Amino acid sequence: MKYPPEPFRIKTVEPIARTTDYERIGIIQDAGYNVFNIPAAKIYIDLLTDSGTSAMSDNQWAGMMRGDESYAGSKNYFNFEKVVNRIFGFKHVIPTHQGRVAENLLFSTILKDTKGLVIPNNNHFDTTRANVEYNGGQALDLVVDIAKDTQAIADFKGNIDLKKLQALIDRVGPERIPIGMLTVTNNSGGGQPVSMANIRETAALLHKFDIPFFIDACRFAENAYFIKMREAGYRDKSILDIAREMFSYADGCTMSAKKDGLVNMGGFFATNNDELAQQITNRLILIEGFPTYGGLAGRDMEAIARGLEEVLEEDYLAYRISQVEELGDRLIDAGVPILRPTGGHAVYLDAKNFLPHVPQSQFPGIALTVSLYTHAGIRAVEIGSLMFAHEDSETGEVVYPDLELVRLAIPRRVYTNSQMQYVAENIIELYQDRENIGGYSIEYQAPVLRHFTARMKPLA
Ligand code: P71
């Protein structure tokens, strides 16, 4: 079967309400044309993010009832640690309440007191970039060039360009690179996977210069599934074995369990480095909590432990990846420009090609996001100039991102395929009416991570 069906049945339902076209026009205006400001009750299909939006299984809910809420040494922490160890293989496991805290702890520790440090990655996601920059470092994106061509078909468009990484090491010297990273799958680059060969070679290159290698592991299971399907020699390996091999090359990872942990809240930092683990643990106690809970309830750690086991199931991953692919295929068949091939957790509309008459300075991704909401009550997220355009620190000129995307992130185990069909049909309608969609300007913006709270206004 090309698109394998859901490997679960529905036990609890949550009603969702539709709004009228007229209501939505008022709602989006009140929201300052920023979909982050819309109350969720006014959204019909919410594809803002796949983060923290998963449906938990009956097994995870049962685990919630087994929460041990002891301040120190909760039994759930030991379950959680055991599962993380089994999959990721790192010696120290430090729970955090979400991924960006793991990033904050890491970067505030390794970038502290030193100027001019750079952190290479395939593509940093927004919170990673912000945590690097806020701590005085420079976040560099060294993804392969083919990733910038939305129509090029390749198996591993999330790979880092090893020549660019070597050139960076030659240019700034290894002493200015405290760690190197890879984000799996590459979220800002279309949810594209990184190959095992690229992970192995990145680690080897960094280690040659004694630079530690960390993985941003949010969607590690989806990445492992793509390796199984696309990379020679992995078809007969289990997802667990592939994941273990991926992390065996790394010195540690940051993880938002809100993605492939199949939970609504949680994350961790893990590493083999004793000294770093000690420093981070000390900081954790200051900002998150005691090392055996790190900002999480005991029941949350139990849900993560169980979620991490479930996400490795192949029936689940086959359904997951193909649900996203089917939505992508429906749009491709209708000629709608999307980033190809379809990524692991989302379909990314190519806003530059969808709205060629709206220049990057007028936020085509925002224009499309607003139209999707007003047309059909669908919430997507811009991954383009509002999120990533910035002023060059030397020239002061605005640097625009290569890609102008609108991401339709699919929550895990949440929406049915008929709801996905509704999404596809409405996007196709919008595409047919694209000439009537105009640009936006910014009315208010925060100094960091402005996309979350910006207020916009239509230009026409
Ligand atoms: C996503 C998110 C969360 C988000 C971001 C922007 C708008 C809406 C929602 C979070 C990530 C991520 C990667 C690769 C670290 C984090 C931070 N992604 N790395 O994609 O994708 O994790 O949210 O748990 O702090 O929607 P955190």
Side-chain angles (χ1 to χ4, degrees), residues 36 49-51 98-100 103 125-128 183 187 216 218-219 256 258-259 387 407 452:
F36 281 100
T49 178
D50 63 320
S51 178
Q98 63 182 94
R100 70 195 69 179
E103 296 163 5
F125 196 57
D126 63 343
T127 57
T128 322
T183 305
N187 191 8
D216 178 338
C218 298
R219 299 177 179 85
S256 169
K258 298 172 71 169
K259 286 82 168 170
M387 192 180 273
R407 187 186 69 174
F452 287 109

Side-chain angles (χ1 to χ4, degrees), residues 115-129:
K115 288 223 154 45
L117 299 181
V118 298
I119 310 286
N121 202 332
N122 43 1
N123 281 122
H124 290 270
F125 196 57
D126 63 343
T127 57
T128 322
R129 169 171 290 279

